[in-house]
Amino acid sequence: MHPDKRLNGYLCALAATVIWAGNFVLARGVAHEIPPIQLNFWRWVLALACILPMALPKLRADWPAVKRHWRYLVFMALVGVSCLNTLIYKAGQTTQSLNMALLVPTAPILIIILLANFVGAGLRTGAGADSSTPEAIEARIHPVAGFELRDASAPRTLRSGEEVYKAVCTTCHGAGVAGAPKTGDAGAWAPRLTTGFDALLHSALKGKGAMPPQGGGDFDDTEIARAVVYLANQGGGKFEEPKAPAPAAQAEAKQ
């Protein structure tokens, strides 16, 4: 690393520490002039005005995910930004700024304790986790190792995109493994959506990277197209689900 860049890194880290420390000193200084809730409100209004211009493009790209998880985000805002800082400023009315600052280093300790008690093996990957159980392994190899007996003379009803997704696509896209963009991750899907529907369908039909053709399944092209639409729209796409082809066209496709 260039010495100038290393120096800039040190200076930025030092500046962040000084600014953070100044937050407690200022809060202590105005503790009896500005109520804690009002102080916390105006602090984050100013922060929003500074950060929003830089964060707005990313926020627009991830807006579908924000709408899906708004309850979780509101909860985190209440217990994190709102309650935490308000209580720290409340403490500033009765204690010194040094004691206020000492509250912050306890957060990593509490996080470790909560993780040890509430995070189960089902949320982890690797040896010993649920992803290595026989059931999970069978679900992952089913698309390429399973088979289904069909009557070739029976009329075929095309499945919906969601049905195809649950049959094969969710194995990788549901967890975002093997390089597959995770379902609902607008950030991961944004650059792929710009390539257009035809490019996405071609990758699904012919295979790409670790994904075999049709995800390892045996489907009609229209069914795969519907699955592509379903999966892409979960990540922010606006594609329309393909209609079933006319019986004559479907018969020609089989021939």
Side-chain angles (χ1 to χ4, degrees), residues 76-161:
M76 293 300 297
L78 289 175
V79 301
V81 173
S82 303
C83 294
L84 174 62
N85 288 282
T86 299
L87 292 175
I88 290 178
Y89 294 154
K90 181 67 175 178
Q93 295 180 336
T94 56
T95 188
Q96 300 299 318
S97 56
L98 177 61
N99 294 331
M100 297 166 60
L102 288 175
L103 292 174
V104 178
T106 62
I109 300 175
L110 294 176
I111 290 173
I112 293 174
I113 294 174
L114 291 174
L115 285 173
N117 285 275
F118 296 107
V119 177
L123 299 180
R124 299 193 299 268
T125 58
D130 288 347
S131 59
S132 297
T133 61
E135 293 79 6
I137 295 174
E138 180 182 358
R140 288 197 296 271
I141 67 174
H142 175 74
V144 294
F147 65 92
E148 179 182 357
L149 296 177
R150 297 177 182 173
D151 184 355
S153 61
R156 182 171 185 176
T157 301
L158 295 179
R159 281 166 283 194
S160 68

Side-chain angles (χ1 to χ4, degrees), residues 220 248-255:
D220 184 271
Q250 192 171 5
E252 291 178 3
K254 289 182 179 179
Q255 295 175 356

Side-chain angles (χ1 to χ4, degrees), residues 164 168 203-207 211-221 224:
V164 177
V168 291
S203 297
L205 291 174
K206 304 301 181 181
M211 179 179 67
Q214 293 200 3
D218 181 18
F219 299 96
D220 184 271
D221 287 358
I224 294 298

Side-chain angles (χ1 to χ4, degrees), residues 39-90:
L39 178 60
N40 191 34
F41 172 79
W42 287 113
R43 174 197 175 185
W44 288 109
V45 166
L46 179 60
L48 178 64
C50 295
I51 296 174
L52 188 59
M54 297 178 288
L56 192 57
K58 182 67 174 177
L59 181 62
R60 287 174 176 170
D62 292 340
W63 189 244
V66 172
K67 290 193 295 185
R68 284 196 303 275
H69 303 294
W70 69 269
R71 293 182 180 85
Y72 172 77
L73 295 174
V74 169
F75 173 76
M76 293 300 297
L78 289 175
V79 301
V81 173
S82 303
C83 294
L84 174 62
N85 288 282
T86 299
L87 292 175
I88 290 178
Y89 294 154
K90 181 67 175 178

